[in-house]
Amino acid sequence: MKNLTNLFILLFFFNLLSCKENSPKQEKIDKLTTLYSIDFKQEQLNCTGEKYSSNKCIDKNKNLSISFDKNSILFTNNNKNYIDKLNNSSDLGYETFLFGSSNDEKIILIDNFLENGHLFLVYYVNNNNIKFLGKNEVINNTEENNAYNFKIKKTDDKVDIFLNPQLGNFSLDIEKAANLNNNDDKKAILNINFLNDNIATPDKITSELIFTKDKSGKLIINTDILDYIQKNTASSNNSYSMSLSKYVTQLIINFYDDESTEWREEDLFRIIGYAANTTDPLFKKYWKNNPEEWNNGQGGYILGFCNVAYHDQIWAKLTNNFKQNKYYNLPYLEEMVWYGSDFDKAGAP
């Protein structure tokens, strides 16, 4: 009888221990200690522009777009804008890849080409924000152009990126990632979008987007585009500056020769002032370095044209208008008036 009692006691403690081990609390602890892992699969991106220098890429559902300009990347996700203002461009080109998961998390991988390898920029996307995960430079020690064999896995807050056997893999931590600015920097967004939407039509930009009217007929000047042209023109990259000069000189011809214009003279003077403040310093700075791109010094300026071609009709009134308006507080206009006054029929000074 005593042995039977001892047996019941042992069974009781065994059942108690078993229940404790399988308690909900223990199951919760076990679950927390299990790593949460998801796989990402490559998704389709529709890109415009050159193959290895796209200006815009959009995912198949059109919820996410990635736009590029010289110094910025604009991400638009679910109608929210995020900007990375780091200098992420590559003179050798770049390629963009997108990877998605079953829970709507995404990884954006931008491959900047280097002379002896690759610089990968990695971004993490979810419904709430976009993070810059980081960058990783990979040296390619072989001459072979091995195709990627991407595998991307997220385990808790760690993202592992597998490229191919030759290039290896690297890991990044989401907890250490930097949130991108999502304050809708309208100037930066405009700078990127107006070029991407009109990339092959500088004439369209200068004739339709810079000088417009509000509902009451008042002149509106888009100084953001003028600033962009001023900052992104070079001796061999001047299509927007040349188009702006061409557009404004044609306005002058229309006004004083053809008497067909939509602008009042006062508005025309302001247009000339703002445009010349943009184009004429660029002409002065660059044309001698690359005369062919600047029509051998016979195009790309505005005030020199006003002085030589329309001196009697416009020069005195125009420069007096500038003085009365304190040169519209523009930084280069007064200097460019003096520069334009030195032009003659032979061209630039």
Side-chain angles (χ1 to χ4, degrees):
M1 185 68 180
K2 183 177 180 180
N3 291 336
L4 186 61
T5 302
N6 289 336
L7 178 61
F8 279 117
I9 292 172
L10 287 173
L11 288 174
F12 173 77
F13 279 108
F14 177 79
N15 288 331
L16 181 64
L17 180 62
S18 177
C19 291
K20 183 177 181 180
E21 288 178 349
N22 294 308
S23 66
K25 183 177 180 180
Q26 183 64 37
E27 288 180 1
K28 186 176 182 180
I29 293 172
D30 292 340
K31 187 175 181 181
L32 287 173
T33 57
T34 301
L35 294 177
Y36 177 64
S37 179
I38 59 173
D39 293 317
F40 290 79
K41 294 183 179 180
Q42 188 168 349
E43 296 184 353
Q44 180 182 350
L45 272 178
N46 296 319
C47 297
T48 58
E50 299 179 12
K51 183 176 180 181
Y52 297 115
S53 184
S54 56
N55 55 68
K56 192 170 189 176
C57 294
I58 301 175
D59 72 344
K60 62 181 180 180
N61 297 319
K62 298 183 179 180
N63 293 326
L64 173 70
S65 71
I66 309 156
S67 302
F68 303 85
D69 80 347
K70 190 174 182 180
N71 298 307
S72 304
I73 303 178
L74 168 68
F75 302 88
T76 301
N77 185 45
N78 293 327
N79 298 317
K80 294 182 180 179
N81 297 303
Y82 305 84
I83 296 172
D84 184 359
K85 294 184 179 180
L86 298 175
N87 186 5
N88 296 324
S89 60
S90 171
D91 293 336
L92 299 178
Y94 56 87
E95 193 169 4
T96 305
F97 303 93
L98 176 66
F99 305 86
S101 67
S102 57
N103 61 351
D104 292 330
E105 294 175 282
K106 296 181 185 294
I107 298 291
I108 299 169
L109 190 64
I110 299 175
D111 177 10
N112 280 330
F113 307 147
L114 306 177
E115 290 185 2
N116 61 341
H118 306 262
L119 176 64
F120 291 97
L121 306 171
V122 187
Y123 300 85
Y124 168 78
V125 184
N126 61 23
N127 290 327
N128 298 320
N129 56 24
I130 298 181
K131 296 175 180 284
F132 177 59
L133 281 180
K135 57 186 177 180
N136 189 74
E137 184 173 336
V138 177
I139 304 301
N140 188 3
N141 294 318
T142 68
E143 295 182 357
E144 297 181 15
N145 185 16
N146 296 295
Y148 292 123
N149 184 23
F150 289 118
K151 291 182 181 179
I152 297 181
K153 180 185 290 290
K154 175 175 172 279
T155 305
D156 286 349
D157 289 319
K158 180 182 176 184
V159 176
D160 296 307
I161 299 173
F162 302 88
L163 303 173
N164 61 32
Q166 287 74 29
L167 297 179
N169 59 74
F170 59 94
S171 299
L172 297 167
D173 192 338
I174 294 178
E175 287 189 345
K176 297 179 180 178
N179 287 324
L180 295 189
N181 179 4
N182 64 345
N183 292 329
D184 286 349
D185 186 334
K186 294 181 180 179
K187 183 173 181 178
I189 293 167
L190 170 67
N191 289 346
I192 298 169
N193 281 342
F194 89 80
L195 277 180
N196 289 336
D197 294 340
N198 304 275
I199 192 71
T201 57
D203 289 342
K204 179 179 179 181
I205 290 171
T206 54
S207 64
E208 297 183 17
L209 300 181
I210 299 178
F211 304 108
T212 56
K213 293 181 179 181
D214 64 13
K215 293 181 179 180
S216 65
K218 183 180 178 181
L219 170 65
I220 300 174
I221 300 176
N222 194 321
T223 56
D224 289 342
I225 297 180
L226 293 178
D227 289 344
Y228 186 93
I229 293 173
Q230 202 159 59
K231 292 176 181 177
N232 290 276
T233 296
S235 62
S236 59
N237 180 24
N238 65 351
S239 58
Y240 290 93
S241 181
M242 294 291 283
S243 292
L244 177 57
S245 174
K246 177 184 174 182
Y247 170 72
V248 174
T249 53
Q250 188 60 52
L251 287 184
I252 296 167
I253 294 170
N254 291 344
F255 191 96
Y256 292 101
D257 286 357
D258 301 335
E259 296 182 355
S260 59
T261 179
E262 60 179 311
W263 304 105
R264 300 173 302 163
E265 190 172 48
E266 182 179 349
D267 290 335
L268 179 62
F269 288 168
R270 184 175 287 269
I271 289 171
I272 292 171
Y274 274 80
N277 182 72
T278 303
T279 62
D280 290 21
L282 297 170
F283 173 86
K284 181 182 180 182
K285 181 178 180 180
Y286 291 123
W287 85 268
K288 291 182 180 179
N289 296 332
N290 196 343
E292 291 184 0
E293 288 290 324
W294 299 84
N295 294 341
N296 292 311
Q298 299 300 312
Y301 52 82
I302 295 175
L303 291 177
F305 173 82
C306 292
N307 179 35
V308 174
Y310 288 87
H311 183 89
D312 294 340
Q313 297 102 313
I314 192 175
W315 189 248
K317 288 193 295 183
L318 179 68
T319 54
N320 284 332
N321 175 277
F322 289 166
K323 291 177 184 177
Q324 291 171 6
N325 287 283
K326 298 181 180 179
Y327 296 93
Y328 306 118
N329 295 316
L330 297 171
Y332 310 113
L333 185 55
E334 184 173 6
E335 178 189 350
M336 289 304 103
V337 168
W338 288 105
Y339 180 62
S341 66
D342 289 334
F343 277 67
D344 56 29
K345 292 183 179 180

